[in-house]
Amino acid sequence: MTINEPTTQERADLLVMLAKHRHFLRFTTRDLTDEQAGQRTTASELCLGGLIKHVTAVERNWVNTIVDGPSAMPDFTELTEEDYARRADEFRMLPGETLEGVLAAYDEVARRTDGLVDTLPDLDALLPLPKAPWFQETHWSVRRVFLHIIAETSQHAGHADIIREALDGSKTMG
């Protein structure tokens, strides 16, 4: 991955951390077939391909919200059972999906995010949050959104490491 030279050290740090945790998440899928990427190995519904799909969707939603405002995300307090069923598809490999396709979509979103990290005029700009029971605040800075994407990626990279180890004993580190 090539990263353009960012305008500030802070932006460079954000880009390095994004790249690091994306690498760990992607690395859990090395040398896997599509079938293995869709396999559940723990009591949860999670699979490696599904985790990457989820992280891609989350990152895409946040980037769209930065660019287009809070209307880019749904009002989470009004989701229907049908909406939740569609969201559940983010966590699994669906028929016809490939690991290569999932990773390509992730790369595309990552490039868009990285471009914003490097070019947005003000990381302190406040972004109204969508309605959701898990948000206590009404606004986050754009910087905090990028930190949230890093945290989300890191958390799911850890989940992916457990799933991969249960699949075939491979680990991200160690």
Side-chain angles (χ1 to χ4, degrees), residues 11 14 18 63 66 113-114 116-118 120 123 141-151:
R11 291 171 192 265
L14 290 170
L18 279 164
V63 167
I66 290 169
T113 302
D114 290 351
L116 283 176
V117 168
D118 195 33
L120 283 173
L123 296 178
S141 70
V142 172
R143 175 187 297 99
R144 187 165 172 189
V145 170
F146 291 136
L147 292 170
H148 177 73
I149 291 169
I150 293 167

Side-chain angles (χ1 to χ4, degrees), residues 124-143:
D124 290 324
L126 291 180
L127 181 70
L129 296 174
K131 289 185 181 180
W134 48 85
F135 290 129
Q136 303 306 312
E137 308 94 339
T138 58
H139 293 77
W140 280 357
S141 70
V142 172
R143 175 187 297 99

Side-chain angles (χ1 to χ4, degrees), residues 78-103:
E78 295 185 5
L79 294 183
T80 65
E81 289 300 317
E82 194 173 284
D83 295 326
Y84 280 109
R86 274 194 300 275
R87 284 179 55 86
D89 286 345
E90 285 179 9
F91 292 95
R92 58 181 155 259
M93 296 279 289
L94 299 176
E97 290 181 329
T98 64
L99 179 57
E100 180 181 3
V102 167
L103 291 171

Side-chain angles (χ1 to χ4, degrees), residues 23 35 111-112 114 153 156 158:
H23 166 76
E35 182 182 342
R111 280 190 298 277
R112 186 171 182 219
D114 290 351
T153 305
H156 290 309

Side-chain angles (χ1 to χ4, degrees), residues 66-78:
I66 290 169
V67 172
D68 300 326
S71 64
M73 274 203 228
D75 178 340
F76 291 98
T77 64
E78 295 185 5

